Amino acid sequence: MKTSKSLKIRDLSFKYISNSRPGLGLIVSKKYGDSVQRNLFKRRCRSVFKTTIIDNKKLYSVVVRPNKQNVSHKSINESFARLYDQFID
């Protein structure tokens, strides 16, 4: 059985595992903010995941959890870029 790896980058915590197809899971509690803020965070993560992981043909499943409220889009981009650098083929 495969085990996932954990990584904390800036304002996000990641768990990832090599998989046969890419996937994204999001864990955003109500402590993050109201539904508008939570959904904005999720939309941004999905967009960055698509451009960073899927478009570069990396086969990893990733679970993302914010470590604080109001994570900026710039921070999400930088965190996913550093996560991408961790993937070794």
Side-chain angles (χ1 to χ4, degrees):
M1 183 174 156
K2 296 181 183 180
T3 58
S4 65
K5 296 181 182 178
S6 297
L7 188 61
K8 286 187 180 182
I9 302 173
R10 297 193 62 157
D11 301 326
L12 302 178
S13 294
F14 295 97
K15 282 193 176 234
Y16 61 94
I17 189 168
S18 179
N19 207 344
S20 60
R21 63 180 210 206
L24 176 66
L26 297 161
I27 301 171
V28 188
S29 75
K30 288 185 178 181
K31 292 179 183 177
Y32 184 81
D34 63 5
S35 61
V36 174
Q37 292 173 324
R38 292 192 309 268
N39 288 326
L40 177 63
F41 173 78
K42 291 189 253 184
R43 282 194 309 272
R44 288 176 173 172
C45 285
R46 286 185 198 108
S47 173
V48 174
F49 180 77
K50 182 187 180 309
T51 58
T52 306
I53 308 300
I54 294 176
D55 291 350
N56 290 315
K57 310 236 184 317
K58 294 293 181 183
L59 300 177
Y60 284 87
S61 291
V62 179
V63 176
V64 182
R65 169 185 249 161
N67 293 330
K68 69 171 199 158
Q69 293 179 336
N70 300 324
V71 179
S72 69
H73 196 192
K74 180 181 177 183
S75 179
I76 294 171
N77 278 327
E78 291 172 358
S79 297
F80 270 91
R82 288 191 48 206
L83 176 69
Y84 177 79
D85 294 338
Q86 294 291 320
F87 297 156
I88 300 171
D89 282 351

